[in-house]
Amino acid sequence: MYSVLMSMSTPERLIEATRELLWDRGYVGTSPKAVQQAAGAGQGSMYHHFAGKPDLALAAIRRTAEELGAEAEAVLGAEGPAYARIEAYLLREREVLRGCPVGRLTMDPEVLAHPELRAPVEEVLGRLRDRLAEVVREGLDRGELSGSLDPAETAATVVATVQGGYVLARAAGSRAPFDSAVRGLLALLAPRAASS
């Protein structure tokens, strides 16, 4: 990663280094010194481009949230039946043992206590639930899914399965609990998919 960072501008290196550190250490564990070392930037450069740790963290969290949203939209916005798009979202490649780079921030008391830092986290998870609910609604309208599904509740279940799966996998030191949770949810949804 270091060689990739060095080809970027200083502000970009600082943001990318902060993203990685937030993912691995959380907000509390991400010190300005660690960011500067990871980015190969001096203190003066950091404070020239960002007002301080909260300002830099906000830029990093926004970037991570945008990336997460774009990755989800790439599969949820694709052509195909609703079940297939939900399945693609659940089965997409993830670094399961690292956890969700956005979801992990919800465990950080300083992020939760800072409304500006919490806002992008809330927004992206809200947009994800809304987008999943739209996909479920499309499936219901097309007769692909059972009319007994509630779009908002199903969307919340999908997000909770992914986020909870990360927690279970990290606790076990294995991705097996994540994969098991995803398979279980897909099995619950599959019988409701109309056969073609």
Side-chain angles (χ1 to χ4, degrees):
M1 166 135 179
Y2 185 78
S3 61
V4 173
L5 278 178
M6 291 301 107
S7 67
M8 299 176 180
S9 68
T10 301
E12 287 297 308
R13 289 198 320 265
L14 288 163
I15 290 170
E16 290 302 315
T18 302
R19 289 177 66 196
E20 287 295 313
L21 289 167
L22 286 172
W23 195 359
D24 288 335
R25 302 179 182 184
Y27 183 82
V28 174
T30 299
S31 69
K33 183 174 183 174
V35 171
Q36 292 159 22
Q37 287 176 337
Q43 183 176 354
S45 292
M46 180 174 152
Y47 290 103
H48 172 74
H49 295 290
F50 299 96
K53 178 180 171 180
D55 186 40
L56 178 54
L58 180 59
I61 292 168
R62 283 183 177 151
R63 170 95 41 96
T64 299
E66 288 167 9
E67 192 174 276
L68 179 75
E71 289 170 356
E73 182 57 30
V75 291
L76 295 173
E79 295 294 321
Y83 177 84
R85 289 184 283 155
I86 293 168
E87 180 182 44
Y89 170 73
L90 288 168
L91 296 177
R92 77 176 180 78
E93 187 62 35
R94 293 178 166 86
E95 292 186 60
V96 172
L97 293 180
R98 285 186 81 187
C100 175
V102 171
R104 286 191 67 194
L105 294 171
T106 65
M107 301 297 192
D108 197 312
E110 287 198 32
V111 171
L112 294 180
H114 196 298
E116 285 185 9
L117 295 177
R118 189 178 67 238
V121 174
E122 286 180 83
E123 289 166 13
V124 73
L125 292 174
R127 282 195 312 269
L128 177 58
R129 283 191 311 271
D130 291 345
R131 187 64 177 106
L132 282 160
E134 287 173 16
V135 173
V136 172
R137 200 169 295 110
E138 288 171 24
L140 292 170
D141 291 346
R142 294 178 189 162
E144 299 166 357
L145 299 174
S146 167
S148 65
L149 290 177
D150 177 275
E153 290 179 1
T154 303
T157 301
V158 171
V159 174
T161 298
V162 171
Q163 294 301 321
Y166 282 129
V167 171
L168 295 173
R170 287 176 58 81
S174 164
R175 69 172 291 134
F178 181 94
D179 294 338
S180 180
V182 166
R183 283 193 309 270
L185 179 57
L186 288 172
L188 290 172
L189 292 174
R192 295 181 175 111
S195 57
S196 33

